[in-house]
Amino acid sequence: MIFITGATGSIGSELCQLLAAEKTEARAMCRKQEQLLRLKDMGHEAILANFDQPDSLQRAMQGCDKLFLLTAPDERHFERERTIIDIAIESGIKQIVRVSTGDANLSSRLAYARSHAEIDHYLRTRPVNWTILRPTGFMQNFIGSSFAISKGSLPHMMHEGQISYIDLRDIALVAKCVLTDEKHHRAIYYLTGAESLTVRAVAELLTAGLDKEVEASTITEAEMRKILSYSGMSAWHKDALIEQFIIGSNGCEIDVTEEVQRITGKLPRSFTQFVNDYKEQFLTPHH
Ligand SMILES: NC(=O)c1ccc[n+]([C@@H]2O[C@H](COP(=O)([O-])OP(=O)(O)OC[C@H]3O[C@@H](n4cnc5c(N)ncnc54)[C@H](OP(=O)(O)O)[C@@H]3O)[C@@H](O)[C@H]2O)c1
């Protein structure tokens, strides 16, 4: 039985659907009563627990032998996931598949790149079969700019820096393959899309896909901070994101790898396909 954390999030809910489609048993974890029904409707077991309440996790994981581990980074990222990993192993979990990040590095200036690397290092020392997924930036991040995009502008501070953006649905597909096939133990996979793109190139693809002129416009750090202040994200997250843009503006995040195709047997989704599939959300954004 696979225990799925982050099951109500972007990657987790996609993974739940993929597992349900092939009738693979999973227990999806959520922290709100109203989320239980939706997960059960997919055909999974669903259970209430909270990352910050170790007892609830211990109870929830009983009887599971695999863990899909995904949490949202903040100041307590390392301590939180270390506790979850310890509880999982004590509860009898034999395999952990965790979502890290492509730029995970202990000496990074970027807070979540450091904490992801710390967790990855910790996991690798534990007596459990592990697989670490290190995706690059998600294509779906651009949905966060959909209001500006619907007005014809894509504000950014990436200059000519490139990222090999990945569609998060491909991360979920890789996770499904890794969770259901034992040949991926003790591996770290760098997951990317099929092409590295500047934000200017992204704007061109949005223009073509939405049939609407979208112009990439370079803004200052102060202007970006102002935009992010409307998003409701924490100061820690805002600072990390700004740092990420500054690092990204200096070059390519990760070169294109072929891991998605090698593991899933399918080509990674292109940015054009992503725009086509999310057209509605770009053209009629909620704000
Ligand atoms: N965005 C990128 O470009 C990028 C690139 C590389 C790596 N990553 C990594 O990918 C991960 C994010 O993936 P995602 O977009 O799928 O995440 P997401 O949509 O933000 O989902 C986060 C999940 O965690 C759950 N959660 C948060 N706090 C919880 C708590 N205290 N107890 C129980 N559940 C809790 C949320 O539940 P609720 O629904 O209740 O909130 C949700 O299911 C992060 O580790 C990030 O660093 C992101």
Side-chain angles (χ1 to χ4, degrees):
M1 171 78 78
I2 305 171
F3 188 77
I4 303 181
T5 61
T8 56
S10 313
I11 299 173
S13 50
E14 183 71 23
L15 173 62
C16 284
Q17 282 173 28
L18 291 171
L19 291 170
E22 44 179 59
K23 307 218 176 319
T24 300
E25 273 200 319
R27 186 179 299 162
M29 172 191 145
C30 60
R31 57 177 163 165
K32 296 171 201 139
Q33 189 72 36
E34 63 269 23
Q35 296 166 331
L36 281 173
L37 199 60
R38 199 175 53 81
L39 294 168
K40 283 184 182 160
D41 277 351
M42 281 188 208
H44 292 307
E45 285 187 15
I47 195 156
L48 281 177
N50 192 304
F51 295 151
D52 299 321
Q53 294 164 4
D55 289 353
S56 71
L57 287 170
Q58 216 153 21
R59 273 195 303 276
M61 286 188 203
Q62 289 310 312
C64 293
D65 58 350
K66 298 178 182 188
L67 166 65
F68 173 72
L69 176 56
L70 181 153
T71 73
D74 64 9
E75 294 90 329
R76 296 198 49 251
H77 194 196
F78 174 66
E79 290 74 17
R80 182 177 295 118
E81 287 207 34
R82 182 180 56 187
T83 304
I84 301 174
I85 290 167
D86 289 348
I87 291 173
I89 295 171
E90 279 163 25
S91 307
I93 297 274
K94 302 282 181 258
Q95 182 191 5
I96 299 181
V97 176
R98 106 162 270 272
V99 175
S100 175
T101 181
D103 49 6
N105 193 314
L106 291 178
S107 55
S108 176
R109 285 159 38 193
L110 186 55
Y112 44 67
R114 270 196 316 277
S115 55
H116 268 302
E118 284 171 343
I119 302 162
D120 290 348
H121 278 272
Y122 183 72
L123 177 57
R124 289 160 60 194
T125 66
R126 298 294 89 199
V128 69
N129 290 313
W130 49 264
T131 312
I132 293 168
L133 309 183
R134 288 188 168 173
T136 182
F138 302 171
M139 293 178 185
Q140 280 79 356
N141 293 347
F142 287 99
I143 294 170
S145 302
S146 55
F147 183 67
I149 290 169
S150 72
K151 303 283 176 215
S153 163
L154 179 52
H156 72 101
M157 37 183 294
M158 288 284 291
H159 298 283
E160 291 302 301
Q162 297 186 8
I163 293 184
S164 40
Y165 297 102
I166 185 165
D167 189 312
L168 63 80
R169 294 173 295 179
D170 289 329
I171 306 172
L173 187 57
V174 168
K176 189 217 68 167
C177 293
V178 168
L179 283 161
T180 52
D181 185 338
E182 291 187 359
K183 69 176 180 236
H184 301 286
H185 293 169
R186 306 184 76 78
I188 299 182
Y189 294 133
Y190 285 87
L191 306 178
T192 74
E195 54 193 338
S196 284
L197 298 169
T198 58
V199 176
R200 193 170 31 79
V202 164
E204 284 165 11
L205 293 172
L206 284 165
T207 297
L210 301 177
D211 208 11
K212 168 182 184 44
E213 189 67 34
V214 179
E215 201 180 337
S217 47
T218 298
I219 58 171
T220 63
E221 180 179 332
E223 288 166 328
M224 182 57 87
R225 279 191 184 280
K226 195 162 178 197
I227 292 176
L228 294 179
S229 70
Y230 302 132
S231 69
M233 68 175 65
S234 70
W236 181 91
H237 203 218
K238 239 179 293 177
D239 287 345
L241 212 48
I242 295 282
E243 192 67 54
Q244 174 124 58
F245 294 144
I246 293 169
I247 294 171
S249 69
N250 288 320
C252 188
E253 192 179 271
I254 339 176
D255 295 337
V256 167
T257 70
E258 284 164 13
E259 300 291 54
V260 170
Q261 187 178 11
R262 192 171 65 80
I263 296 163
T264 69
K266 291 186 179 162
L267 285 171
R269 291 169 171 91
S270 66
F271 204 90
T272 299
Q273 186 179 347
F274 157 72
V275 176
N276 192 45
D277 294 346
Y278 287 80
K279 204 167 179 171
E280 198 57 35
Q281 291 183 52
F282 279 117
L283 293 176
T284 50
H286 299 291
H287 55 92

